[in-house]
Amino acid sequence: MTLVDVHLHSRFSFDSDETQSNYIKKAKKMGAGVLGFCEHFDYDAYLYGDDIGLCDLDTYFETIDSLRVRHPDIKILAGVEFGYSEKAEDKYIDLERKYPFDYVVMSVHTLPKYGDFFNGKVFEDRTLNGAYDDYLSAVLKSVLSPAGSDIIAHIGYPERYCEKENSSLVYSEHAEIFDSILTAIIETGKCLEINTSTAGLEKDFFPDTSVLDRYIELGGKKFSFGSDAHSAQRFMDKADAVKTYLTSRGIEKMRYFEARKQVEYSI
């Protein structure tokens, strides 16, 4: 079976101009029977004063409903990506109660005082390990947050924006905090995302294979796949590399979510 890509961004996200219809066309062309949008609702960045737009969720769901009627031959999932911050938790809890999300993706994009990792500020006056320790501490909080989530996304995100040498976020350098994160993901029943948005890096996906190997060693079996595409061109990007890795580790199934319920499928 084709992997199910559940991390797609369209014009409902502040950093994409793509239409959802173009993703659907691409999915049908590739023979995919399911796809999932998870538009940005980064209230964390909004609270830090970043000038970004928040997803118009009312219009988003109206559009999804219309697309489902027009394309009954493919399953279209409506997810959301929350940018984690303790100060944003109450907002996210309210949104979960109000809207019928199929799934919630939780990501850490920002740190207090520094903002989003993409601006590189967190690396200017910190050691690399210090910056990563702060990031991983926030990831652990996001997993345990009362703002419910189904998928823990792109662990390793800061690597995209670090210009220091040997900046790969590997298990051995942060073993204790990684064990806490991975154990929490397992104990809370969430899925660990394998994310292939790694342009410019010498790897096909996040988290690093050393982290994924440890997750499996600890008993983790619940994975979701996300290209983190912001254009239809990247739909299902590097899916073959993900499948090859997982099958080499004895993992034959992955998951997506519908109405907040996990759906297991064979890869």
Side-chain angles (χ1 to χ4, degrees):
M1 178 175 177
T2 302
L3 301 191
V4 178
D5 196 339
V6 293
H7 196 142
L8 305 174
H9 295 284
S10 76
R11 63 184 179 84
F12 285 99
S13 292
F14 71 93
D15 52 358
S16 174
D17 295 320
E18 188 62 275
T19 66
Q20 293 177 327
S21 293
N22 282 342
Y23 281 109
I24 293 168
K25 291 176 184 177
K26 182 71 176 290
K28 289 184 179 182
K29 185 176 181 179
M30 295 182 68
V34 186
L35 81 167
F37 297 99
C38 71
E39 308 296 356
H40 282 295
F41 200 100
D42 292 332
Y43 199 65
D44 58 328
Y46 174 81
L47 291 174
Y48 295 143
D50 289 345
D51 186 19
I52 65 168
L54 298 174
C55 179
D56 179 348
L57 291 171
D58 290 326
T59 304
Y60 171 51
F61 276 98
E62 290 173 3
T63 303
I64 290 288
D65 289 342
S66 176
L67 289 169
R68 286 169 172 165
V69 171
R70 289 163 50 196
H71 301 279
D73 54 334
I74 189 168
K75 188 183 295 293
I76 303 168
L77 304 172
V80 67
E81 181 176 14
F82 290 151
Y84 178 74
S85 165
E86 286 185 277
K87 293 182 178 180
E89 286 180 339
D90 288 344
K91 179 69 171 180
Y92 295 153
I93 291 170
D94 288 343
L95 292 174
E96 284 186 89
R97 291 170 177 165
K98 183 177 180 181
Y99 294 98
F101 298 117
D102 282 306
Y103 56 98
V104 172
V105 172
M106 189 67 78
S107 301
V108 174
H109 300 120
T110 60
L111 287 179
K113 299 190 298 183
Y114 297 102
D116 199 300
F117 281 96
F118 78 79
N119 64 39
K121 292 180 181 179
V122 70
F123 300 111
E124 291 176 357
D125 60 353
R126 310 289 308 287
T127 64
L128 182 63
N129 280 344
Y132 281 170
D133 280 341
D134 285 353
Y135 164 71
L136 292 172
S137 294
V139 172
L140 179 58
K141 289 181 180 179
S142 78
V143 177
L144 300 174
S145 171
S149 59
D150 305 299
I151 297 171
I152 302 302
H154 56 51
I155 297 179
Y157 173 79
E159 287 186 53
R160 296 181 187 171
Y161 310 107
C162 182
E163 297 180 355
K164 297 184 179 182
E165 294 183 1
N166 302 316
S167 61
S168 187
L169 184 47
V170 298
Y171 173 78
S172 61
E173 296 292 326
H174 310 271
E176 184 175 354
I177 184 68
F178 264 127
D179 278 353
S180 296
I181 291 168
L182 300 175
T183 299
I185 291 172
I186 293 168
E187 291 180 347
T188 57
K190 303 179 193 295
C191 281
L192 176 60
E193 179 192 68
I194 302 183
N195 182 298
T196 59
S197 183
T198 57
L201 299 175
E202 295 181 357
K203 60 177 62 180
D204 289 322
F205 45 76
F206 294 125
D208 187 83
T209 54
S210 63
V211 178
L212 294 171
D213 286 348
R214 180 58 174 164
Y215 174 68
I216 294 169
E217 183 181 2
L218 289 169
K221 298 179 180 179
K222 297 180 179 180
F223 293 96
S224 70
F225 170 72
S227 65
D228 207 345
H230 288 66
S231 69
Q233 183 178 1
R234 284 201 62 253
F235 174 72
M236 295 294 294
D237 190 37
K238 303 174 189 172
D240 288 344
V242 173
K243 184 174 181 178
T244 297
Y245 166 77
L246 289 174
T247 55
S248 74
R249 301 308 195 271
I251 303 296
E252 302 289 343
K253 296 183 183 296
M254 294 189 79
R255 289 167 168 79
Y256 64 87
F257 290 79
E258 187 172 5
R260 304 302 295 273
K261 302 295 184 181
Q262 292 187 24
V263 179
E264 188 178 69
Y265 66 95
S266 298
I267 62 175

